[in-house]
Amino acid sequence: MLEKFVRSDMYECAGCQRRVGTYHRSLYANTRFLFSRYSRCIRCGSEAVQRLKKRDKVDGFSQNPLALLQALTGAPINRCSPCRLQFFDWRKPRPGASPDS
């Protein structure tokens, strides 16, 4: 039952009856966001993050409770280049991670 919430696709081997599956994309990205040394996108998990001086009114903004909690503590704004999402995070972007890729 719990597998339905954690995994998006489930498969069972006909020979050994072993069950395997893939994690939901949002769960995977949130886990990577939580446990990464450097800033990652909270939606897609990408490291192509750049630090912004002020909020961009055009791009979307994350409503994730983890990012909003960091906003209350004065965290800087970051922007994910691939999905164009802005979010708050205290960690620095990974050195050498290209925000244009």
Side-chain angles (χ1 to χ4, degrees):
M1 179 72 174
L2 181 62
E3 288 178 339
K4 290 181 182 181
F5 295 109
V6 176
R7 304 203 186 244
S8 61
D9 299 319
M10 290 299 300
Y11 305 99
E12 185 174 316
C13 176
C16 66
Q17 276 71 41
R18 181 172 180 225
R19 295 173 58 99
V20 295
T22 57
Y23 291 104
H24 283 287
R25 184 176 180 183
S26 62
L27 180 66
Y28 179 71
N30 282 330
T31 304
R32 292 183 82 181
F33 177 80
L34 273 174
F35 297 109
S36 177
R37 180 177 175 191
Y38 297 102
S39 184
R40 288 181 173 269
C41 178
I42 203 159
R43 180 188 294 160
C44 69
S46 171
E47 289 184 331
V49 171
Q50 61 188 3
R51 188 77 35 106
L52 299 177
K53 292 184 182 185
K54 63 179 185 171
R55 184 175 176 178
D56 184 359
K57 304 273 186 202
V58 177
D59 292 338
F61 211 82
S62 174
Q63 297 299 316
N64 188 296
L66 300 171
L68 295 177
L69 181 65
Q70 291 191 60
L72 293 174
T73 62
I77 299 173
N78 293 317
R79 179 183 174 269
C80 173
S81 292
C83 65
R84 298 180 56 140
L85 181 74
Q86 298 175 76
F87 57 94
F88 291 99
D89 194 359
W90 278 109
R91 296 168 293 186
K92 294 180 179 180
R94 178 183 288 279
S98 174
D100 298 326
S101 58

